[in-house]
Amino acid sequence: MIGLWVALAAVVVPLSGKLSSVTTDRAVDTLPAGAESTRVAVLEDSLPGGEDNTFVFVYHRAGGMSDADRATIERHYNTLVKRYPPKVTTAAGEGDDEGSPTRPSTDGEAMMFTFDVSTAYGAPETIVGPLREATKDRPAGLELDVTGPAAVDGDMEAVFDGIDLQVFLTTVVVVTLLLILTYRSPVLWFIPLMAVGAAALTAMATVYLLVKGFGIVINDQNSALLTILVFGVGTDYALLLIARYRETLHHHENVRVAMVHALRGAAPAIIASAATVIAGLLCLLVADLNSTSGLGPIGAAGILCALVAMLTLFPAVLVVLGRRIFWPAIPRFSTAVEEKPGLWGRLGTAISRRRWVATLGSLGVLGVLAVGLAGNTGALREQDQFLSAPESVTGFTVLRQHFPELGGQPMTIFTRPAYQERVLDIVKGTRGVAMAIPGQTKGGWADISVFPTDAPDTVAEYDTIKRVRTAVHAVSGAEAIVGGPSAENLDTEVTTTRDERLVIPLVLTVVLIVLGLLLRSIVAPLVLMATVIVSFAAAFGGSVFVFDTILGFKGVDYSVPLLAFLFLVALGVDYNIFLASRAREEAVRLGTRAGMLKALSATGGVITSAGLVLAATFAVLASLPLVMLIEVGFLVAFGVLLDALLVRSVLVPALTLLIGRRMWWPSRLSRPVDLPAGHRPLADDEEPALQR
């Protein structure tokens, strides 16, 4: 087995390094094909000259612009025209002189012009730097902000530059520290880390082949999530298997026999856990947003690679290294193993004595956290995505201060040339439009640049986009379509809302079916699913409170609720699967009450460790300078900890003890045992062991 993985490494290592070459963050790739803004982006890309990158140069000086300032601005503009000669934009309005590209502000303290650069010159992140460098030569006191849609995209890409390597290295360091603390061994921590690393490289290579073979869309965000998923879930599987292996080593002298028994005990729960997460991720395939639907097979491939590595390579290495790998706490073979209750055994006893207190207390804590949902759950604007506002974002603020009539990002309208003047007149008369400027005619289409009055990505600007679309669609024969950065964000938000309504019920149904098949019960899956949903609401509410009150974020990114729900439901059910499957196994011998207490005692430590590792891996995202990733990382990490420390440790055992053997209805475990004549019926607490 080890030899097979060594041979596989020769193939996957070169392929894994190619993953970054197929990632894309272009709107035309992430938006659904049917979205109107996507059609505009595709049309821009296909017309002669290709799509333009629109930059806005905002010059400002307190006290008013001087003649030298105006001369400098004209010189900068001419320099840029010479550097990028084929593609020059129209001005954003009339200037001081006829034909001047610049536009002065009414307060006399600012001037601006727009400048389009063809994508033939490169992506925004490769252009924005040279543009800023070319305009550094300015009189003292004359400030310049290079902003606009392309500048925002360029600054956003700069955040993601090198993010894969940063996430990978940070995750490795975090997992390594946690494994060392967990096992307190100078050697053992390296084995799961090595196996998970092999799984991560295999996953990257697999995803690369999926993208090349099936055209799946993968962006930088999904690439980072792939690394987090593989390391978090793979380490969880390793912790569960090692805990079971350590148990069996006390009962079996031969390490191979001990591993066989460990796999028989742990593999079903691990496979069920992986199946649940994979099934939940594949539900994303029904999403319209390409970046969301692409995460489905990408994440599923990562989980599958982690599963295969941790059930083949990892056990093989452990067996070859033998008992000494656990040094200094080497498990010794003994025919009489004394089982001590430990912390989790004492917790189970306390819950058993105060079931209602444990149940109501847990629900009370979760309910208080869920109150946070009443906070600011509004959509996060693109300009508010940065932890530290770059020049492109501050430039929009300056633009609104001096040019309040040009507050939003420009829209792009494509129409048939014969209808350009008619569409232009209609757009100019639409409420919320500051100005509309006719553009070029090429490839059978004419474009119009439209500047809204409201700030970017606000409800007011979105309403203006909707009004403009309604107005131009009414022009018969014009075939007018409206796009642009804010229109893309609007279409993305609308599509995500639709995806949530479709994906969330599907995920719940699929996970419920997997739980039912695993536990061979109807009641238990419903109870476990209910606890996960309540846990998600509490995690989301508590996180919103932190985002709004402590961190001062200006909303929740539109993609966060769906991603957080998927990860917390699919991964949160994992711990319930580990606990419930062990409880069912023990209930066959000991009865429901004793079986649950035995399961809690046996799995409490390892599941808590797994929860800490998974939470820490997702928390790595919170170290990145982008609000959306911070929100996902914090919410999932907080939710995993809440589920592992409270829901799985207290609430689920308490509910199981309250419901008793009916938890396993309609399986055989739910039926009372026939007792000999003269024996009184036994309560759940007194269930006798069932015969296999």
Side-chain angles (χ1 to χ4, degrees):
M1 185 60 65
I2 295 173
L4 288 175
W5 274 94
V6 171
L8 181 64
V11 178
V12 302
V13 170
L15 291 177
S16 64
K18 297 181 179 181
L19 181 60
S20 59
S21 67
V22 294
T23 58
T24 176
D25 288 284
R26 296 193 311 162
V28 67
D29 295 322
T30 57
L31 280 171
E36 189 168 338
S37 57
T38 307
R39 291 157 55 198
V40 170
V42 171
L43 192 56
E44 284 182 320
D45 201 29
S46 63
L47 290 175
E51 184 183 356
D52 289 339
N53 291 310
T54 300
F55 297 89
V56 178
F57 290 72
V58 186
Y59 296 82
H60 52 101
R61 178 192 288 275
M65 307 291 288
S66 66
D67 291 338
D69 294 338
R70 296 186 183 92
T72 298
I73 296 170
E74 294 289 344
R75 176 169 54 83
H76 285 175
Y77 181 83
N78 293 329
T79 300
L80 297 178
V81 169
K82 291 178 182 178
R83 180 167 295 187
Y84 304 99
K87 300 295 294 179
V88 184
T89 71
T90 57
E94 296 295 333
D96 293 329
D97 304 314
E98 185 176 355
S100 173
T102 59
R103 174 185 178 86
S105 63
T106 55
D107 60 12
E109 294 185 349
M111 295 184 71
M112 58 85 68
F113 64 83
T114 62
F115 191 81
D116 285 353
V117 181
S118 172
T119 52
Y121 288 105
E125 62 270 21
T126 63
I127 300 173
V128 66
L131 289 179
R132 288 169 174 160
E133 186 67 27
T135 52
K136 287 179 65 176
D137 180 21
R138 302 187 299 273
L142 179 61
E143 302 294 332
L144 167 63
D145 291 296
V146 180
T147 182
V152 173
D153 290 344
D155 288 337
M156 182 73 75
E157 284 297 319
V159 172
F160 283 105
D161 187 29
I163 191 174
D164 287 344
L165 181 61
Q166 180 181 347
V167 169
F168 183 84
L169 294 178
T170 307
T171 303
V172 169
V173 171
V174 169
V175 171
T176 299
L177 292 176
L178 289 173
L179 288 174
I180 292 175
L181 292 174
T182 300
Y183 293 126
R184 295 183 294 277
S185 167
V187 181
L188 181 58
W189 62 270
F190 180 73
I191 308 306
L193 187 65
M194 176 271 300
V196 174
L201 293 175
T202 306
M204 292 177 189
T206 303
V207 170
Y208 170 76
L209 294 176
L210 287 175
V211 173
K212 297 293 288 186
F214 298 96
I216 296 171
V217 174
I218 177 171
N219 55 18
D220 289 311
Q221 169 189 303
N222 289 351
S223 179
L225 289 174
L226 173 66
T227 301
I228 296 293
L229 273 175
V230 174
F231 269 87
V233 172
T235 306
D236 277 4
Y237 298 161
L239 291 170
L240 191 69
L241 182 59
I242 285 181
R244 201 64 179 254
Y245 181 45
R246 191 192 291 270
E247 280 185 44
T248 58
L249 284 173
H250 288 295
H251 300 282
H252 301 280
E253 188 171 8
N254 188 293
V255 293
R256 291 175 175 80
V257 175
M259 179 56 74
V260 168
H261 282 80
L263 284 171
R264 286 176 180 171
I270 293 175
I271 293 172
S273 166
T276 304
V277 180
I278 290 173
L281 285 166
L282 291 180
C283 290
L284 292 178
L285 286 172
V286 304
D288 275 346
L289 199 66
N290 292 334
S291 56
T292 301
S293 62
L295 180 59
I298 290 168
I303 299 298
L304 185 60
C305 290
L307 174 68
V308 173
M310 305 320 291
L311 292 184
T312 57
L313 174 63
F314 184 53
V317 175
L318 287 177
V319 167
V320 167
L321 296 176
R323 295 175 184 268
R324 59 183 177 275
I325 195 64
F326 290 93
W327 186 86
I330 300 175
R332 303 297 182 184
F333 167 68
S334 174
T335 55
V337 179
E338 180 183 358
E339 295 187 6
K340 299 179 180 179
L343 172 64
W344 297 101
R346 293 192 294 272
L347 176 62
T349 301
I351 294 172
S352 178
R353 291 172 179 169
R354 298 288 187 272
R355 305 173 193 182
W356 279 108
V357 172
T359 301
L360 297 178
S362 301
L363 292 175
V365 172
L366 297 174
V368 169
L369 290 172
V371 172
L373 291 172
N376 180 20
T377 56
L380 189 73
R381 300 190 312 158
E382 184 179 29
Q383 286 74 29
D384 296 327
Q385 284 277 8
F386 300 94
L387 198 60
S388 178
E391 182 178 326
S392 59
V393 173
T394 58
F396 268 112
T397 303
V398 174
L399 186 66
R400 280 193 58 78
Q401 289 174 350
H402 299 287
F403 300 90
E405 72 279 11
L406 300 176
Q409 298 194 81
M411 286 179 267
T412 299
I413 299 178
F414 277 109
T415 182
R416 293 302 181 183
Y419 296 87
Q420 185 182 32
E421 290 300 325
R422 186 177 173 188
V423 171
L424 183 64
D425 292 339
I426 290 175
V427 171
K428 285 182 177 179
T430 303
R431 181 164 54 91
V433 172
M435 64 173 57
I437 305 169
Q440 301 175 352
T441 298
K442 51 187 177 181
W445 291 92
D447 69 87
I448 301 172
S449 296
V450 181
F451 290 82
T453 58
D454 298 293
D457 296 323
T458 57
V459 174
E461 188 198 33
Y462 286 168
D463 288 341
T464 299
I465 295 172
K466 294 174 185 177
R467 285 192 294 269
V468 170
R469 282 177 169 173
T470 301
V472 301
H473 292 169
V475 181
S476 178
E479 301 180 36
I481 50 178
V482 181
S486 289
E488 291 169 357
N489 294 338
L490 171 60
D491 288 341
T492 300
E493 186 175 324
V494 170
T495 304
T496 302
T497 302
R498 178 262 176 197
D499 289 344
E500 287 177 1
R501 294 171 181 169
L502 183 62
V503 172
I504 288 177
L506 185 59
V507 170
L508 291 175
T509 302
V510 168
V511 172
L512 198 61
I513 292 173
V514 173
L515 283 175
L517 294 175
L518 172 68
L519 301 177
R520 285 163 281 176
S521 166
I522 293 177
V523 175
L526 290 173
V527 171
L528 296 179
M529 184 59 71
T531 62
V532 170
I533 293 174
V534 172
S535 176
F536 169 74
F540 202 173
S543 298
V544 168
F545 175 80
V546 172
F547 299 156
D548 188 19
T549 306
I550 299 177
L551 300 180
F553 294 161
K554 297 179 180 179
V556 178
D557 187 82
Y558 60 84
S559 63
V560 168
L562 181 57
L563 290 177
F565 177 84
L566 176 69
F567 292 140
L568 287 181
V569 168
L571 298 175
V573 166
D574 274 7
Y575 302 130
N576 282 334
I577 287 176
F578 296 156
L579 177 64
S581 61
R582 182 65 180 264
R584 193 184 192 286
E585 175 187 338
E586 299 294 343
V588 173
R589 301 184 300 108
L590 307 172
T592 299
R593 175 185 177 276
M596 173 53 74
L597 297 181
K598 170 67 175 177
L600 181 61
S601 177
T603 65
V606 64
I607 293 179
T608 301
S609 298
L612 291 173
V613 170
L614 187 61
T617 54
F618 269 95
V620 168
L621 293 175
S623 66
L624 302 175
L626 202 63
V627 172
M628 178 268 174
L629 294 178
I630 294 174
E631 290 181 340
V632 171
F634 181 88
L635 203 165
V636 176
F638 179 55
V640 167
L641 288 177
L642 194 64
D643 192 80
L645 299 178
L646 179 62
V647 176
R648 187 272 315 161
S649 300
V650 179
L651 182 57
V652 171
L655 288 172
T656 303
L657 295 175
L658 282 174
I659 297 171
R661 61 173 174 263
R662 291 179 293 275
M663 186 76 166
W664 313 113
W665 184 87
S667 73
R668 177 168 155 267
L669 281 175
S670 67
R671 296 191 290 270
V673 180
D674 292 332
L675 298 175
H679 287 256
R680 64 177 178 82
L682 300 180
D684 285 343
D685 288 4
E686 303 173 289
E687 286 180 44
L690 300 180
Q691 298 301 315
R692 290 186 180 273

